Amino acid sequence: MMFTSMRTKTLHLAAAFGFLALPAFAQTYVEPPLFAEKVAKKELPPLAERLPQPPIVVNPKGGQYGGDIVTLVSRPRDIRYISTYAYTRLIGYDRSLQLQPDLLERFENEDDRVFTFTLRAGHCWSDGTPFTSEDFRYYWEDVAQDPDLSPAGPPEFMMVDGKLPRFEVIDERTVRYTWDKPNPRFLPQLAGPLDPGIYRASAYLKRFHAKYADKAALEEKAKKAKLKSWAALHNRLDDMKEQTNPDLPTLMPWRITNTAPATRFVFERNPYYHRVDNRGQQLPYVDRMIMDVSASGLFAAKANAGEIDMLFRGLSMSDVPILKEGEKAKGYHTLLWPYARGTELALYPNLNATDPVWRKLNRDLRFRKALSLGIDRRTLNNALLFGLGTEGNNTVVAESPLFSPELRTLNATYDPDEASRLLDEIGLTQRNGAGIRLLPDGRELEIIVETDGESSLVVDGLTLIGEFWREIGVRLFVKPQDRTVLRNRSFAGLTVMVAAQGFDNAIPTALMPPTEFAPMRQDNYSWPKWGQYVETKGKNGEAVDMPEAKRLLELYDTWMNTGNRTVQADVWREMLRNHAENQWVIGTVAGALQPIVMRNGLMGLPEKALYSWEPTAMIGIYRADEIYWNKAAGKEARR
């Protein structure tokens, strides 16, 4: 459903993800074999009693119970990404990027000001305790607003003009959040790749909260765990994101069963998960997700050797040749999904640079245009993306309803003559003996482009751009460094230009906040000090002082203060045009392919789909819980 007016909208279960009402003949649910013995011994209730009413019913082409999936992580902490791609949310995106209820039975949205959430009757956490409105109240009153547990207070996205919502518990299954003004960020944030977790497993966590348990005893427990206080103990155990506490109940399809130190982490199916298929089988189909720790540099080689069942995070387009090479011999295939990113290699001129000469130059639109026109993107495409990429600006992709084809190429074609003319017009006409232009103070026009060095594509691309720019009298020097060092230099205004990837979300819809496109965050390398100023409410950084950039802030404010999707779409389109016309970021080529290795017989993912961090949550919106082993094809699950 697309919101087009400011009337109250309610989304119901039947509309979500193509979900179905469970047919009468399927009222006898099919117990997962993994739990059959526990049910027989009455250690676990039968499936019909473990499911909420109604459960979500999906209609995949056909799935089968059983088996494990072995994948890789580069360090123990990376197991946390399962909460992204398992993608269990109160409200989530479907494959059409429309918001639908997931954990919720339904939700009501009144003009982006009043949100009423209704839970499923009988829904339980993985330990069998009820999932109710108390879990929302506990988070809001006892976690988010407890200064010991949350010194910074409730999350910023839940504040509008510095004011928190009015939170109400309507009944055991219903809660409501009310703001005086629209908060259009609220629902998209809940559907994001990082679950903000506005609820908690209260029955478990109350045992570690000083309001509900003996504080002295808790302090003693904290001391034994080498923690400073009961609050530190609570926060360690309240770990929905990091997945380090096997005792913490979950609502995800799989729950963690062991902790670090370990080289293998095992996630086992949640017996109370809320989704079933149209044959009465409870999802997920696969019993276990197993994550082995391995050096990231070995991921492609291990996939090539047939050592894993599924792998995507940690692979890149440069791995495709070696992955394709091992397919036939090792019994796997490689899906290639376009990565929905604004551009694979973006150049960020620092408009807040402390060096006054570079600051003035980077702020000159003619300079930014000249650098863009001086890049041969066709050659970059062939060298970096096998000629399969899309050349042009850092903007949204064609699959976004906000896409305008002319914005991809505006000021982003290859025209070295026009680039040279613009540089001459600025006054950069003096050159040294090597043909490199000179800055007004006599220094060479050598742009030090800093990068975190983590992407070989970015470093290789900069080498080529250096050759293109030499033709227009500009020298490029590549300076790879640690990401933390790079960010600190950027925040301090010490960088002249940074090379990194482009916009994370290149398939936005009108209901997604355009935060990346306004000068509001210090982690944008083009305007770090402007971002600091906004983030700190004027305490640090610099106020935005360019009219075209101020317009972006005005547009963002317009988006934030309306629940009208038509107005928000108009805001998006003007912001996208503003970016293309002003070249705040110089894009190059987009559309790298993300390899996804799947062992033969492992089914459930589409052959083609868009891959991104936001909004697809990697493979999240394509439902990892519907992946299964096709044993009928003779492919047995790994054990």
Side-chain angles (χ1 to χ4, degrees), residues 557-598:
D557 286 343
T558 299
W559 187 94
M560 279 290 295
N561 285 286
T562 182
N564 188 312
R565 301 297 181 237
T566 301
V567 172
Q568 290 176 332
D570 290 341
V571 164
W572 262 104
R573 291 189 177 96
E574 185 177 340
M575 293 180 82
L576 292 171
R577 181 163 293 279
N578 182 303
H579 268 263
E581 290 175 347
N582 287 285
Q583 297 280 218
W584 304 117
V585 181
I586 300 170
T588 56
V589 287
L593 298 176
Q594 173 63 44
I596 301 175
V597 173
M598 300 281 283

Side-chain angles (χ1 to χ4, degrees), residues 133-150 153-155 158 164-170 175-177 197-200 202 206 209 211-212 230 234:
S133 55
E134 173 62 12
D135 297 319
F136 290 78
R137 187 212 61 79
Y138 179 79
Y139 165 75
W140 185 243
E141 296 180 1
D142 298 328
V143 176
Q145 297 187 76
D146 186 306
D148 292 324
L149 295 176
S150 304
M158 295 193 76
L164 296 174
R166 181 170 68 257
F167 171 77
E168 301 171 82
V169 173
I170 308 301
V175 296
R176 180 175 293 143
Y177 300 86
I198 63 169
Y199 55 87
R200 289 294 195 273
S202 60
K206 283 179 180 178
H209 197 299
K211 181 178 175 180
Y212 302 96
W230 73 267
H234 184 286

Side-chain angles (χ1 to χ4, degrees), residues 68-73 264 290-295 298-311 323 326-327 329-333 597-600 602 629 638-639:
D68 308 334
I69 293 177
V70 177
T71 188
L72 301 175
V73 290
R264 166 168 279 200
I290 297 173
M291 300 185 182
D292 289 337
V293 180
S294 172
L298 298 177
F299 277 22
K302 283 181 172 289
N304 171 276
E307 295 182 19
I308 53 93
D309 299 317
M310 181 175 76
L311 186 63
L323 295 174
E327 285 185 337
K330 297 301 180 179
Y332 66 87
H333 60 287
V597 173
M598 300 281 283
R599 184 173 297 282
N600 293 344
L602 194 57
W629 288 101
R638 288 163 61 91
R639 288 291 183 182

Side-chain angles (χ1 to χ4, degrees), residues 153-264:
E156 192 268 339
F157 78 92
M158 295 193 76
M159 302 185 76
V160 176
D161 289 346
K163 296 181 180 179
L164 296 174
R166 181 170 68 257
F167 171 77
E168 301 171 82
V169 173
I170 308 301
D171 58 39
E172 187 179 54
R173 293 173 48 212
T174 312
V175 296
R176 180 175 293 143
Y177 300 86
T178 303
W179 284 269
D180 294 332
K181 294 182 177 179
N183 185 6
R185 292 185 299 171
F186 185 50
L187 296 185
Q189 191 81 26
L190 298 183
L194 295 177
D195 188 350
I198 63 169
Y199 55 87
R200 289 294 195 273
S202 60
Y204 170 79
L205 290 171
K206 283 179 180 178
R207 291 181 281 165
F208 308 100
H209 197 299
K211 181 178 175 180
Y212 302 96
D214 182 79
K215 186 176 180 180
L218 290 178
E219 295 288 1
E220 185 62 29
K221 283 184 181 180
K223 185 177 179 181
K224 289 181 179 178
K226 299 182 179 179
L227 296 170
K228 292 182 178 180
S229 66
W230 73 267
L233 176 66
H234 184 286
N235 284 343
R236 173 174 288 187
L237 297 174
D238 177 16
D239 192 16
M240 290 172 64
K241 293 179 183 175
E242 297 293 323
Q243 304 294 314
T244 59
N245 180 9
D247 294 329
L248 180 69
T250 185
L251 299 171
M252 292 201 315
W254 300 277
R255 59 179 187 83
I256 185 65
T257 62
N258 65 311
T259 61
T263 58
R264 166 168 279 200

